[in-house]
Amino acid sequence: MSTATLRDRAKDRAGAITLLLTVVGYGAVGGVFLVPEFQALFPTLTEGTVDLLAHAIAAVNTVTVVTLSLGWYWIRNDEVKKHAAAMTTSFALILLFLGMYLPKVAGGGTKYFVGPDPAYYAYLIMLAVHILLSIVSVPVVLYALVLGLTHTERELRNQTPHRRVGRVAASAWLLSLVLGVVTYLLLNHVYGSTFEAAETAAVLLPVVPAL
């Protein structure tokens, strides 16, 4: 089957592909929190390794903020190829993030924020918004990506909701990443934290271990 034929088939099934990828993504992340058999596939990590992964994840997310911002800037200036490259790079970075996030959550335990009440409540609010946006942005980000990969520039402009979906996806994704980096800084650098190893830690909020 030729590449053109595969692309045409994928173009006609953009919604189904998005749904499949969304289920896979939710399943992988949900599995490291809720399914002991899936968690057992990953090794137990030391606190030092957890900290190293936390720093690497924050670095990847910071770079993703930059590439997303560039992608937004370039499409507003009608530089379509640069925009496409920036958004594809952003998605590749998120896959790299997941490659570190899943083993960190499954075997890395939980870090708990230690700081004064005002900072603690601000941290919780930002964390909650970060988690919510992380969850809801998955299908719209994937849909925008699938449309971008399966349609020509002219088709994207005239035959798909790519522009509208892309705005929502980029806004939610960007804000989620920024809040994730801010909460990482609060937890790991500005204030203190306590650590509970994976075998005894209770699972509380889905993104706490990633910070």
Side-chain angles (χ1 to χ4, degrees):
M1 186 178 294
S2 68
T3 302
T5 302
L6 285 173
R7 183 174 179 176
D8 288 338
R9 289 169 65 89
K11 182 189 302 184
D12 295 335
R13 295 169 174 79
I17 293 171
T18 299
L19 178 60
L20 175 62
L21 293 175
T22 299
V23 170
V24 171
Y26 283 158
V29 175
V32 298
F33 288 105
L34 303 173
V35 183
E37 293 80 6
F38 189 65
Q39 295 169 351
L41 298 175
F42 301 90
T44 300
L45 305 178
T46 65
E47 184 175 358
T49 302
V50 169
D51 288 338
L52 181 62
L53 285 174
H55 302 329
I57 286 170
V60 167
N61 286 346
T62 301
V63 175
T64 308
V65 168
V66 174
T67 57
L68 276 175
S69 300
L70 286 172
W72 198 325
Y73 170 80
W74 280 325
I75 198 60
R76 288 178 65 87
N77 287 274
D78 208 30
E79 299 184 75
V80 176
K81 289 184 179 180
K82 289 182 178 180
H83 165 77
M87 293 314 193
T88 303
T89 300
S90 298
F91 185 71
L93 287 169
I94 289 303
L95 294 180
L96 176 60
F97 155 80
L98 283 174
M100 296 184 289
Y101 177 79
L102 295 180
K104 181 179 181 297
V105 170
T110 303
K111 297 184 78 171
Y112 298 97
F113 183 89
V114 176
D117 284 347
Y120 176 69
Y121 294 129
Y123 169 82
L124 286 183
I125 292 170
M126 288 188 288
L127 183 62
V129 176
H130 165 64
I131 293 170
L132 178 62
L133 289 175
S134 297
I135 294 171
V136 302
S137 67
V138 171
V140 287
V141 167
L142 288 173
Y143 188 49
L145 179 73
V146 171
L147 289 176
L149 292 175
T150 57
H151 291 72
T152 66
E153 179 184 342
R154 182 178 179 182
E155 290 170 340
L156 287 174
R157 291 181 184 275
N158 301 317
Q159 301 176 20
T160 75
H162 179 75
R163 176 177 294 185
R164 183 174 67 255
V165 173
R167 284 182 185 141
V168 174
S171 299
W173 191 4
L174 190 58
L175 181 56
S176 173
L177 287 169
V178 169
L179 290 175
V181 172
V182 171
T183 51
Y184 155 81
L185 291 172
L186 292 174
L187 182 66
N188 293 276
H189 298 286
V190 179
Y191 298 101
S193 63
T194 59
F195 177 78
E196 197 167 325
E199 56 267 22
T200 57
V203 175
L204 298 177
L205 291 173
V207 187
V208 171
L211 302 174

